[in-house]
Amino acid sequence: GLFERTEKQFYDRISPMLEKVINSWSPRTCQAFLAVVQSKKTTGFENELQELVGQGLMAKVGNQWQARAGIFLKFVKDNPQLCNQP
């Protein structure tokens, strides 16, 4: 419907900016974010996850890490290869 088309248009327009944000992170910070969005273990990423909290992109609820920005979460899920760059 209209909502889905509008959401896709927004996603397509904002994707280049989101890629720049990811490229500004250290590889470990990117891997930490990816671990959360893929529901993998986050052990050893405490500093990186706290950095993401400071950026408003991550929150710890109880013992669970959660990505805060839905559009960013979708972008990282769609582009996990960006977290494997040196």
Side-chain angles (χ1 to χ4, degrees):
L2 178 60
F3 177 76
E4 289 80 13
R5 282 194 309 275
T6 302
E7 184 178 46
K8 182 176 179 345
Q9 288 172 345
F10 175 70
Y11 179 80
D12 290 344
R13 280 194 313 251
I14 200 168
S15 290
M17 184 190 73
L18 298 176
E19 186 171 347
K20 286 179 184 178
V21 171
I22 289 173
N23 288 332
S24 74
W25 292 344
S26 72
R28 284 193 50 84
T29 300
C30 198
Q31 290 164 2
F33 193 94
L34 187 60
V36 171
V37 301
Q38 291 180 337
S39 300
K40 294 184 177 178
K41 290 187 180 204
T42 57
T43 306
F45 287 121
E46 189 67 30
N47 291 337
E48 292 80 9
L49 292 167
Q50 289 301 329
E51 178 185 337
L52 292 166
V53 167
Q55 295 175 17
L57 296 171
M58 192 69 57
K60 192 165 190 180
V61 179
N63 289 328
Q64 291 287 108
W65 288 100
Q66 295 179 352
R68 302 285 291 184
I71 193 83
F72 204 77
L73 185 145
K74 177 177 173 19
F75 182 78
V76 172
K77 278 186 175 181
D78 289 350
N79 298 279
Q81 75 281 359
L82 293 175
C83 290
N84 296 324
Q85 295 180 0

